[in-house]
Amino acid sequence: MSKKLIMAAAAAADKDNDSLQLPLRNWMDMETTKKKTTLSHKESIVRKTTIAYGILELILRWRCFETTTSKPFKNNEPDIIIHTDNFTVLVSSTNSSQSQYQPSWDDITGVAMKYPKLSLTIEEPAYLTCLFEPDETHGQLGRCLEVEHHNHASSSSVMHEDENSSVLPTKAEATTADLTNDNNERMRVNNNRCYYLVAKVLYELFANEVFPEESSLAVNEEATTIVVSTAVATVLSEEPVQKKIKSSSRHYDVLSPPAKGDFNTVKLLPFQIPSIVRMQQQLGIPASLCRMMQNLLEAALSRGDDEDDENTSLNDAYKSLRDVAEDLHLLLLDPDRFLFDNEVQQQGTTNDETTTIIQLRYRKDKLYGRDKEETLITDAFCRVSRGKSEAFFIGGFSGCGKSMLVNSLRARVNVVGGYVIQHKFDVTVSQERSLSGVISAVNQLCVMLKRRNAPPRLAKLAKKIRDEFGADVALLARILQNVSVLSPEFISPVAAAVEEEATGGDTMNARSVGFTLLRFLRLVSSPKHPIMLFLDDLQWADDTALDVIHTFLSDTMGSCMFFVGTYRDNEVDANHPIFDLMKKLEISHVPTSKVSLVGLDRENLNTMISDALCLYPRICNSLSDIVIKKTNGSPFFVLEFMKSLKDRGLLQYNYHQKRWVWDEDTIRAEGITDNVMHLLSYEMNGLSDEIQLLLKVMACFGTCTNESVIGYLSESVEYSGVRDGLERAVIGGFVEKNREGDFKFVHDKVREAAYNLIPDSDKEQFHYNLGKILCTICSGNGKDEGDIVLLICSQINHGIESIKADNLCIPAAKLNMKAGKKALDGCDHKTAYSYLDTAQSLLPDDNWESYYDLSLRLNFLLARAANSSCKYDEAELILQTICKRARCFQDKLPAYFLLVTIFLAQGKVVDAYNTSSSILSLLGETVPETEAVTLETVGSLIPETLNMYAEVYGDDWLGRKMEDNTLINILIFYSVMSTAAYFCKPSHMVAYFACKMVQLSLRNGVCKQTPLALLIFSSIVIRFDNAAFVGRIAKNAMALSERFDLSDEMAELRLHFHMGAGHLESFQFGASNLRKGFGSGLTSGNANTAFYCAIQGTFYSIISAEKELNLLLQEIDYYLHLLKTYKSEMTRYYMLCYRETVSILIDKGDATGIEAKLCHDDVSDPGNKLLEVFYFHEVFRNHWLGYPERSNHYVKKYEELIEPRYFEAYIIKFYKALNILAMLKKKRNGVKSEDVDEIIASMRIAAAHAGPNFRNKLELLEAEQYGVDNYPDKAMASYKASIESARETN
């Protein structure tokens, strides 16, 4: 396992007292003796490489130290310092002596010099060591090392007797302008000498034998032998340097520094480099180390001028010792790649013969040259993990590494407990199936949650989903089929989908889908478990999918998401929906970052090539210069270019040298294209027919193809070879298997090149034949094409003209209708519309006569899809066509119902009312004119209905199901009329329709519409004098609703319950339940009802102090944000009024809220619904601001309304009494205490029936009255009782 090597220099520190210090030669002997029993060969090589790296660092430290002192050293000092006998190894050992020492894998703690006294420690950082268990660290072949240098005071005073000696400079200092030419030459010779000496030490370290300078290897027999002086011998001994020894007989055969110009030719070298390298290879030393020593010896021959550039044999020679240290560093970073002779082999077959292929070792998961961008995206995610959603957009051309940059974040997301979900938009299908991509990404999350959470946590999550969604979980399951893995109960009922098709009752649309997904994401995401949604290739997404993303990110109610979107910035213009999304996010105050990637720079591209070739980066520089000019640094292009060089034989593996070799001049002269598509096309044209066919087929399906599709095609004669082609395409590196088990192209450009294998003139026919064969195989073998019907249609629809020529219009239309229905069931409405529209285009002109049933069903499905895609005008036209062309009234009814539903959604309440009235007349119902229904009529109808309910309700009636479809349709259209009448007719008309619905159901049995009819009725007729009875009606209706799948109507059920019998429950409960109604309404697509739930819930929250005002203001702002999106102006005026009230209460009169734009111009119009709201809020605001007179002024205005809402009127009475009492305390004229007595009496009635809401208010009024009447003890007792009642309610 490879770990990062970390270099850290530090000033003086004491050596580890627990370390045992061994002379390097002794350590080498022990290593050779013991490695056969305790260490593997590779472990021993890594240990020696670690020592070599330590030695190089000490030498560099010495050179740096000596060049900063004022005393230069003597000419022969390098020969003494860079010598095997001048180094010791520090090892950790519990043994007290060398004889007892046993080497282990990671016992090396440092390396030291005897002269000058320098040392360093080598250790693994604690922050990395702690990540591994003790048994995990053994055998790891890449060590993470920290190197800490230790300087010793005595080193500065050693061997500086000769004040005129030259100072050995660093490479940079050797080129300073103040040095003379003679000194420059002297420096060069000293540098060359050091290269030679380092090579000698490394050879002896790895070979454990003396460097071969004998005559058997010599070309020049006159190699000089020098005698080491007594001073040198003293240094190499273990005695103190200051102690002088006057005699020594030790001799060392070393190469003495030659005179200027002696290194002009190789002949003067006292050894042959090839012989040295050959000996190393025979000793089993890896080629990388042999190459290092060879390059060091070549550096010893270098003149350091232009002649070296002309001598190609010296091109790889080292230019500095720092380069040597960096190479050793690299060997330890990734020994499997750079240190050992690990030739990656692959078996290939050519002419029925098996051959061995050496592959380039690309780092597929490594991100090159994106450090800045990686930091930016990591910082952005860290902000998200603190609890706020954020967006990050990455632009760049294809192949620049956008996906790699995003994938670099995966590990961090997983570490913090987050989830990464993704989807890649496809040019071939994304425009048709835009929303399905986002749904698919969230669907992945369900499986991840199942896989990464224990059963107890999954049970808690399932409970959260049940509590949040309730009956809406069926709608969630329709969208996210994988949610069933979290709990078996989360399954969408099939029967409901069938009924929706028959009635047109499905009101879901793209917005409701987005909101439903958002509700789910709120439950599963948090700062501890953030979600990263990665959408690739946004340039192929449309505004439908991007609007859903905006819904996710602009949420302020608890979701925690990091959205990352990539796009090809060279393929989009300023009008693309991507930039609209960015603007919307900015307006919504969503933090958004944007980066643009370009090609790699020269250094990072060289690193990439070095990794692929397993060669030192310095050796690859010349090749990188060519590649960057050809590819402009595009990472994907670089890989393909290198692969092309290999395939053309311009990049070859030399088995003798164990490295890749190339000829730069030949590559430059070859004239290889600078277009990656041309490279890929050139390569693909040379593939076998089976592989080419497979690539063509997969390209037609997009970037990813399901394996089952390949299986189906392989059953046909035309495509029988695709499975074999698939296996070879995987081996060839064109295709790979993804996490889901499907096969995908390794890159978009590969897919584009594969698609270009099909001539442009043949593309449509190729698609058509492909879809036709798939359809034939599925239908012929009795297989259900349902799972791949969308794929089949996407292929067949390329050949519309061929469909007509083959007389297959009707079968193709039926297939497209099936695809559209499947998309509708999956809530991908835009995709459904696309297929259904295609199906309609294939029908003949006389389709209503010749294919009536098909035309009727197809047009109705198309109208549904158009409605859910917000194409309301088009949906109306289609429905009107159905109503005109359908043969019987029963066939027209679903169209009429969908039409009035669209009218209501658009606010065309008069059209909805009139159309419903006409339909009811055709169904046999007599709908009276508004003028004919008087208050007296309704006044007699209400008790009649109550009596009928009391007589009929029971088990017999509950068990009797309404079977007559005509009666059911009457109930449906009465329900529409009652809703429309609320906005455009006097309020008693709503009561009239409610009574008619309930009586119809009581006479004929229960159906899906019965619960809503009962709740509408109860919300209208409930009073305190009938509260107990009507309250039971409402509760029975809610219980009855559980017998049916009413997920689409839950918002309406909750709203009408709390507008009536819900007043008998606590307002706090009502506020909470109406929030659920709001969620249900937006989930089902019934936005108007959803926002009325929000309005009523906010009202309850204000009057009951259910929520802190700051939190309530945040919630109201969220509603207002959504209302802008949904463009519901009337509802927005209501909510603005609530916001103004909350803001005033927070700021004590200095409102920070948005000014409410109330439409109360005609105050004499009793039908102005906003007047009631306006007056109520003025009463409330002025009372709490301390203006009782002004508050009572608006009380009178409210009471002047013809028929104010019943329960709200009691709230008004409460504030009227408080205002009177406040004025009585101030002894204001014109107020009567008798009015308070009357109100308190009525409040006792209210408290008797709705104690949770009115008991504390009654007790508060009594306390205030006792205070006015000067009964302090009674007042205090009533205050305490009021507080206690309020606590019980909360």
Side-chain angles (χ1 to χ4, degrees):
M1 177 179 177
S2 182
K3 307 178 194 173
K4 183 179 179 183
L5 187 66
I6 302 173
M7 288 294 306
D14 293 331
K15 290 187 290 184
D16 190 345
N17 294 327
D18 294 333
S19 296
L20 184 64
Q21 187 167 345
L22 303 174
L24 179 56
R25 288 195 188 276
N26 291 6
W27 181 87
M28 289 157 46
D29 291 339
M30 291 180 180
E31 194 78 3
T32 303
T33 303
K34 300 292 185 179
K35 75 176 183 180
K36 295 181 180 179
T37 57
T38 60
L39 297 173
S40 70
H41 174 69
K42 285 190 173 182
E43 288 176 332
S44 179
I45 291 295
V46 171
R47 285 163 59 81
K48 289 181 178 181
T49 306
T50 303
I51 299 299
Y53 179 53
I55 289 172
L56 258 294
E57 285 296 325
L58 283 175
I59 293 172
L60 290 169
R61 185 70 173 172
W62 159 68
R63 287 168 64 95
C64 177
F65 175 76
E66 292 295 347
T67 54
T68 58
T69 186
S70 59
K71 296 182 179 181
F73 50 79
K74 294 183 178 181
N75 286 347
N76 61 350
E77 193 167 1
D79 296 80
I80 301 170
I81 292 173
I82 308 177
H83 194 285
T84 303
D85 292 331
N86 192 38
F87 295 99
T88 60
V89 179
L90 305 177
V91 296
S92 61
S93 176
T94 56
N95 303 316
S96 59
S97 64
Q98 295 184 20
S99 60
Q100 296 177 336
Y101 166 67
Q102 293 291 330
S104 63
W105 160 237
D106 55 356
D107 62 349
I108 300 171
T109 62
V111 182
M113 271 186 181
K114 295 180 182 179
Y115 166 76
K117 282 188 176 295
L118 294 174
S119 65
L120 56 80
T121 57
I122 302 174
E123 58 185 20
E124 289 186 321
Y127 70 86
L128 286 176
T129 306
C130 67
L131 297 179
F132 298 93
E133 297 296 331
D135 58 345
E136 292 179 332
T137 57
H138 180 71
Q140 293 173 357
L141 297 180
R143 299 194 61 193
C144 176
L145 306 179
E146 279 186 351
V147 177
E148 182 177 348
H149 292 278
H150 310 299
N151 295 340
H152 300 270
S154 61
S155 62
S156 62
S157 59
V158 180
M159 290 191 70
H160 290 296
E161 294 88 349
D162 187 353
E163 297 293 334
N164 298 319
S165 297
S166 170
V167 177
L168 186 65
T170 62
K171 179 182 178 183
E173 291 169 335
T175 61
T176 55
D178 59 336
L179 294 176
T180 63
N181 290 335
D182 289 341
N183 280 338
N184 279 336
E185 182 63 16
R186 186 80 176 172
M187 302 306 173
R188 179 188 65 77
V189 171
N190 279 328
N191 281 334
N192 290 359
R193 182 69 179 171
C194 288
Y195 292 137
Y196 163 74
L197 294 172
V198 170
K200 180 178 177 181
V201 170
L202 294 182
Y203 179 90
E204 294 181 351
L205 171 63
F206 286 97
N208 196 24
E209 59 181 47
V210 178
F211 187 76
E213 294 177 329
E214 303 299 330
S215 58
S216 60
L217 294 175
V219 175
N220 180 1
E221 299 293 341
E222 298 178 357
T224 306
T225 300
I226 64 172
V227 178
V228 182
S229 66
T230 55
V232 174
T234 301
V235 171
L236 296 180
S237 70
E238 294 187 7
E239 297 182 40
V241 176
Q242 291 83 359
K243 185 176 180 179
K244 296 183 180 180
I245 299 179
K246 297 184 179 180
S247 62
S248 174
S249 60
R250 293 190 64 182
H251 289 67
Y252 291 86
D253 294 331
V254 297
L255 182 65
S256 61
K260 177 181 177 181
D262 282 354
F263 281 109
N264 287 342
T265 65
V266 180
K267 292 182 179 180
L268 295 181
L269 196 66
F271 50 78
Q272 294 179 337
I273 293 178
S275 300
I276 298 292
V277 173
R278 192 178 307 115
M279 291 180 63
Q280 294 175 78
Q281 292 174 342
Q282 291 172 353
L283 292 171
I285 299 175
S288 59
L289 292 169
C290 297
R291 192 170 302 115
M292 177 180 289
M293 287 178 259
Q294 176 183 337
N295 296 158
L296 280 165
L297 294 175
E298 290 170 348
L301 302 176
S302 171
R303 288 186 52 84
D305 52 23
D306 294 339
E307 293 184 18
D308 290 343
D309 296 334
E310 298 174 0
N311 187 355
T312 57
S313 63
L314 300 181
N315 281 351
D316 295 338
Y318 281 105
K319 302 299 188 295
S320 73
L321 288 181
R322 171 52 61 191
D323 292 342
V324 183
E326 289 178 356
D327 284 351
L328 286 166
H329 180 188
L330 186 64
L331 297 182
L332 289 170
L333 274 173
D334 193 349
D336 285 334
R337 180 177 298 272
F338 292 103
L339 177 56
F340 300 118
D341 303 335
N342 186 13
E343 299 168 359
V344 177
Q345 299 182 356
Q346 180 175 321
Q347 298 297 320
T349 303
T350 305
N351 297 328
D352 297 329
E353 293 183 3
T354 301
T355 59
T356 299
I357 305 171
I358 305 298
Q359 296 292 337
L360 297 170
R361 294 189 63 185
Y362 300 116
R363 289 186 188 266
K364 293 184 178 180
D365 298 325
K366 182 175 179 179
L367 183 64
Y368 294 91
R370 307 299 184 198
D371 293 343
K372 178 182 177 182
E373 293 83 0
E374 191 172 5
T375 299
L376 289 174
I377 194 172
T378 301
D379 290 346
F381 173 71
C382 290
R383 292 191 294 269
V384 169
S385 61
R386 291 195 286 268
K388 185 171 177 62
S389 296
E390 190 162 330
F392 198 94
F393 292 91
I394 306 173
F397 56 84
S398 177
C400 68
K402 301 184 294 295
S403 299
M404 283 289 293
L405 174 59
V406 180
N407 289 331
S408 69
L409 194 60
R410 283 181 177 273
R412 181 179 293 273
V413 177
N414 291 331
V415 165
V416 301
Y419 300 91
V420 180
I421 56 178
Q422 69 179 62
H423 176 73
K424 182 179 179 65
F425 288 105
D426 197 323
V427 65
T428 60
V429 297
S430 293
Q431 294 298 326
E432 297 175 350
R433 303 171 61 186
S434 54
L435 187 56
S436 63
V438 181
I439 295 173
S440 172
V442 183
N443 229 350
Q444 300 168 19
L445 183 59
C446 301
V447 179
M448 292 181 185
L449 291 167
K450 170 73 172 180
R451 186 173 63 245
R452 290 172 53 178
N453 290 282
R457 182 174 175 80
L458 281 178
K460 290 181 180 179
L461 179 59
K463 183 178 183 302
K464 286 173 64 178
I465 294 174
R466 281 193 298 271
D467 293 343
E468 166 63 25
F469 283 91
D472 300 338
V473 76
L475 299 177
L476 175 67
R478 277 188 57 192
I479 302 170
L480 297 179
Q481 295 181 356
N482 287 345
V483 76
S484 61
V485 304
L486 303 178
S487 176
E489 62 185 291
F490 299 155
I491 300 176
S492 178
V494 178
V498 175
E499 184 173 349
E500 281 168 0
E501 181 182 351
T503 63
D506 182 14
T507 56
M508 294 192 77
N509 51 43
R511 286 175 179 168
S512 62
V513 169
F515 183 78
T516 305
L517 296 176
L518 174 60
R519 292 176 70 188
F520 177 74
L521 292 172
R522 285 176 185 165
L523 296 176
V524 300
S525 67
S526 66
K528 290 185 177 180
H529 302 286
I531 292 172
M532 185 175 100
L533 171 59
F534 170 33
L535 295 182
D536 196 6
D537 284 331
L538 285 177
Q539 73 275 1
W540 291 323
D542 70 353
D543 53 359
T544 304
L546 299 183
D547 283 345
V548 172
I549 299 305
H550 179 253
T551 299
F552 292 167
L553 295 174
S554 60
D555 178 50
T556 59
M557 303 303 291
S559 59
C560 188
M561 173 176 286
F562 183 44
F563 169 72
V564 182
T566 64
Y567 63 99
R568 300 181 187 177
D569 53 12
N570 61 322
E571 297 184 19
V572 295
D573 57 29
N575 297 321
H576 195 279
I578 293 174
F579 303 109
D580 289 336
L581 173 60
M582 293 181 187
K583 291 177 183 177
K584 290 178 182 177
L585 292 175
E586 182 180 358
I587 294 171
S588 301
H589 305 292
V590 178
T592 303
S593 303
K594 179 183 174 183
V595 298
S596 184
L597 302 186
V598 295
L600 297 178
D601 59 24
R602 166 69 170 68
E603 180 181 355
N604 286 289
L605 184 141
N606 188 60
T607 302
M608 184 179 185
I609 292 177
S610 166
D611 288 347
L613 300 180
C614 303
L615 284 173
Y616 301 124
R618 59 184 177 80
I619 295 178
C620 303
N621 282 325
S622 59
L623 179 59
S624 297
D625 289 337
I626 300 173
V627 175
I628 198 169
K629 291 178 182 178
K630 288 286 187 181
T631 65
N632 290 323
S634 168
F636 177 72
F637 195 176
V638 170
L639 298 180
E640 291 302 318
F641 187 84
M642 294 289 290
K643 186 178 178 181
S644 175
L645 293 180
K646 174 180 171 292
D647 293 342
R648 294 166 182 252
L650 300 176
L651 180 66
Q652 297 182 349
Y653 188 81
N654 187 306
Y655 287 91
H656 175 68
Q657 298 183 38
K658 296 185 178 179
R659 59 161 285 185
W660 292 92
V661 295
W662 60 90
D663 188 303
E664 293 130 24
D665 294 336
T666 305
I667 294 174
R668 289 192 186 95
E670 187 70 14
I672 299 176
T673 178
D674 56 1
N675 185 304
V676 67
M677 291 296 295
H678 292 167
L679 277 181
L680 291 168
S681 297
Y682 176 86
E683 183 178 4
M684 288 180 181
N685 284 326
L687 299 174
S688 66
D689 293 342
E690 289 82 3
I691 300 178
Q692 286 195 30
L693 180 61
L694 180 278
L695 294 176
K696 292 177 186 177
V697 168
M698 286 190 61
C700 288
F701 290 112
T703 57
C704 186
T705 305
N706 190 283
E707 188 174 13
S708 63
V709 174
I710 303 296
Y712 288 148
L713 289 173
S714 64
E715 297 178 17
S716 67
V717 176
E718 296 89 334
Y719 298 103
S720 58
V722 291
R723 190 170 289 282
D724 291 338
L726 178 62
E727 295 175 0
R728 297 183 183 183
V730 172
I731 294 173
F734 300 103
V735 176
E736 63 185 4
K737 205 168 189 176
N738 63 14
R739 295 182 181 89
E740 290 75 32
D742 299 330
F743 289 92
K744 67 169 188 174
F745 287 102
V746 296
H747 196 273
D748 293 338
K749 288 296 182 184
V750 178
R751 185 257 162 199
E752 291 178 38
Y755 193 58
N756 287 339
L757 290 173
I758 309 171
D760 290 342
S761 59
D762 297 341
K763 281 184 169 66
E764 289 188 356
Q765 190 65 35
F766 193 93
H767 279 285
Y768 172 69
N769 290 338
L770 195 58
K772 187 177 175 182
I773 289 174
L774 271 176
C775 186
T776 301
I777 292 172
C778 290
S779 59
N781 296 346
K783 298 176 181 177
D784 181 17
E785 74 273 12
D787 292 338
I788 61 170
V789 66
L790 300 181
L791 289 176
I792 293 174
C793 286
S794 66
Q795 299 303 310
I796 288 180
N797 291 346
H798 277 273
I800 296 296
E801 296 303 320
S802 298
I803 291 173
K804 295 177 180 178
D806 293 345
N807 294 320
L808 294 175
C809 288
I810 299 304
K814 291 180 178 179
L815 194 65
N816 273 277
M817 187 173 69
K818 186 173 184 178
K821 178 62 171 60
K822 184 175 179 63
L824 268 180
D825 291 343
C827 299
D828 192 355
H829 306 104
K830 191 170 183 178
T831 299
Y833 179 84
S834 174
Y835 287 121
L836 293 168
D837 188 52
T838 300
Q840 189 185 52
S841 70
L842 292 170
L843 296 182
D845 295 337
D846 64 342
N847 61 89
W848 281 99
E849 290 75 24
S850 54
Y851 299 99
Y852 175 78
D853 290 339
L854 175 62
S855 298
L856 179 65
R857 187 182 179 212
L858 176 57
N859 276 273
F860 185 68
L861 289 173
L862 183 59
R864 280 182 56 197
N867 175 44
S868 296
S869 301
C870 300
K871 301 177 185 291
Y872 300 120
D873 293 341
E874 188 169 344
E876 286 183 33
L877 290 174
I878 298 170
L879 292 169
Q880 288 169 2
T881 300
I882 295 175
C883 295
K884 179 180 178 181
R885 304 295 296 271
R887 294 174 179 173
C888 65
F889 182 65
Q890 290 298 323
D891 288 348
K892 297 178 182 181
L893 275 174
Y896 278 125
F897 176 62
L898 183 54
L899 184 61
V900 296
T901 302
I902 293 173
F903 286 154
L904 285 178
Q906 291 183 281
K908 299 178 179 179
V909 290
V910 175
D911 290 341
Y913 185 94
N914 292 335
T915 303
S916 297
S917 177
S918 299
I919 300 304
L920 285 169
S921 298
L922 293 172
L923 287 169
E925 284 290 301
T926 301
V927 180
E929 295 295 330
T930 304
E931 295 77 10
V933 181
T934 64
L935 290 174
E936 291 75 15
T937 304
V938 175
S940 62
L941 195 58
I942 289 175
E944 177 186 321
T945 307
L946 289 172
N947 292 332
M948 182 183 294
Y949 182 88
E951 294 174 2
V952 173
Y953 183 81
D955 292 339
D956 291 341
W957 177 71
L958 291 173
R960 184 154 51 98
K961 185 177 179 182
M962 187 182 294
E963 301 288 352
D964 190 334
N965 286 331
T966 299
L967 295 176
I968 293 173
N969 283 313
I970 290 173
L971 271 178
I972 290 173
F973 285 98
Y974 265 137
S975 176
V976 174
M977 287 197 76
S978 67
T979 302
Y982 179 82
F983 295 98
C984 65
K985 298 295 179 180
S987 56
H988 65 271
M989 288 299 296
V990 181
Y992 174 82
F993 293 126
C995 291
K996 296 291 287 184
M997 286 190 289
V998 172
Q999 289 188 11
L1000 184 66
S1001 191
L1002 289 172
R1003 293 191 187 100
N1004 300 283
V1006 299
C1007 64
K1008 256 185 95 169
Q1009 286 69 37
T1010 301
L1012 183 58
L1014 291 171
L1015 286 169
I1016 294 174
F1017 174 73
S1018 66
S1019 69
I1020 294 172
V1021 304
I1022 191 167
R1023 297 290 185 270
F1024 282 129
D1025 56 358
N1026 64 13
F1029 181 62
V1030 178
R1032 284 199 303 273
I1033 294 176
K1035 291 181 179 179
N1036 290 338
M1038 292 300 291
L1040 180 61
S1041 68
E1042 297 177 2
R1043 290 173 48 180
F1044 306 96
D1045 174 31
L1046 296 177
S1047 53
D1048 285 348
E1049 300 176 19
M1050 282 308 300
E1052 288 184 271
L1053 294 174
R1054 286 191 170 104
L1055 178 62
H1056 287 290
F1057 177 81
H1058 287 285
M1059 289 180 69
H1063 287 84
L1064 307 179
E1065 310 285 343
S1066 72
F1067 288 140
Q1068 290 88 342
F1069 169 75
S1072 175
N1073 208 26
L1074 284 166
R1075 286 192 191 97
K1076 294 181 179 179
F1078 168 77
S1080 296
L1082 287 191
T1083 291
S1084 63
N1086 194 343
N1088 287 332
T1089 303
F1091 286 115
Y1092 278 111
C1093 285
I1095 289 170
Q1096 189 69 17
T1098 304
F1099 169 74
Y1100 284 167
S1101 187
I1102 289 176
I1103 63 176
S1104 66
E1106 179 258 354
K1107 190 178 257 191
E1108 291 183 14
L1109 289 176
N1110 286 325
L1111 295 177
L1112 182 58
L1113 187 65
Q1114 180 182 350
E1115 183 174 88
I1116 293 172
D1117 284 339
Y1118 173 66
Y1119 293 144
L1120 287 169
H1121 163 71
L1122 291 178
L1123 283 166
K1124 284 183 180 179
T1125 303
Y1126 283 82
K1127 299 178 180 179
S1128 179
E1129 288 302 314
M1130 180 68 74
T1131 312
R1132 184 167 177 267
Y1133 294 147
Y1134 278 96
M1135 197 58 73
L1136 282 171
C1137 195
Y1138 284 114
R1139 191 192 196 283
E1140 193 74 5
T1141 296
V1142 175
S1143 297
I1144 288 173
L1145 294 178
I1146 291 174
D1147 301 329
K1148 295 181 175 58
D1150 297 327
T1152 60
I1154 305 169
E1155 182 181 356
K1157 299 177 181 179
L1158 298 174
C1159 300
H1160 52 275
D1161 298 331
D1162 187 2
V1163 294
S1164 63
D1165 179 9
N1168 191 335
K1169 302 293 183 181
L1170 286 172
L1171 280 177
E1172 181 181 338
V1173 178
F1174 174 71
Y1175 292 150
F1176 180 91
H1177 281 274
E1178 286 298 322
V1179 170
F1180 190 84
R1181 295 169 187 168
N1182 285 287
H1183 170 79
W1184 289 110
L1185 289 175
Y1187 306 127
E1189 293 90 346
R1190 190 184 302 173
S1191 178
N1192 256 15
H1193 167 75
Y1194 286 106
V1195 168
K1196 292 177 181 178
K1197 291 285 187 181
Y1198 187 90
E1199 291 175 341
E1200 289 172 0
L1201 295 175
I1202 292 178
E1203 191 177 356
R1205 297 171 69 183
Y1206 185 76
F1207 287 97
E1208 281 80 346
Y1210 275 83
I1211 303 296
I1212 290 294
K1213 288 181 181 181
F1214 168 70
Y1215 282 107
K1216 179 180 180 179
L1218 286 178
N1219 291 331
I1220 293 173
L1221 289 167
M1223 288 187 284
L1224 286 172
K1225 287 181 180 179
K1226 297 178 181 180
K1227 302 186 183 301
R1228 302 288 173 83
N1229 296 325
V1231 291
K1232 301 177 182 179
S1233 60
E1234 292 81 3
D1235 292 340
V1236 176
D1237 294 336
E1238 181 182 341
I1239 292 173
I1240 288 177
S1242 66
M1243 293 297 288
R1244 287 195 177 100
I1245 298 173
H1249 293 91
N1253 297 323
F1254 292 99
R1255 185 180 301 112
N1256 67 318
K1257 293 176 176 60
L1258 170 63
E1259 291 162 345
L1260 179 59
L1261 288 179
E1262 290 175 338
E1264 290 288 325
Q1265 188 178 46
Y1266 286 136
V1268 170
D1269 295 340
N1270 200 23
Y1271 295 112
D1273 293 338
K1274 291 183 178 181
M1276 184 59 65
S1278 293
Y1279 279 130
K1280 289 181 179 179
S1282 178
I1283 293 171
E1284 187 61 31
S1285 296
R1287 286 176 177 169
E1288 290 176 1
T1289 302
N1290 291 329

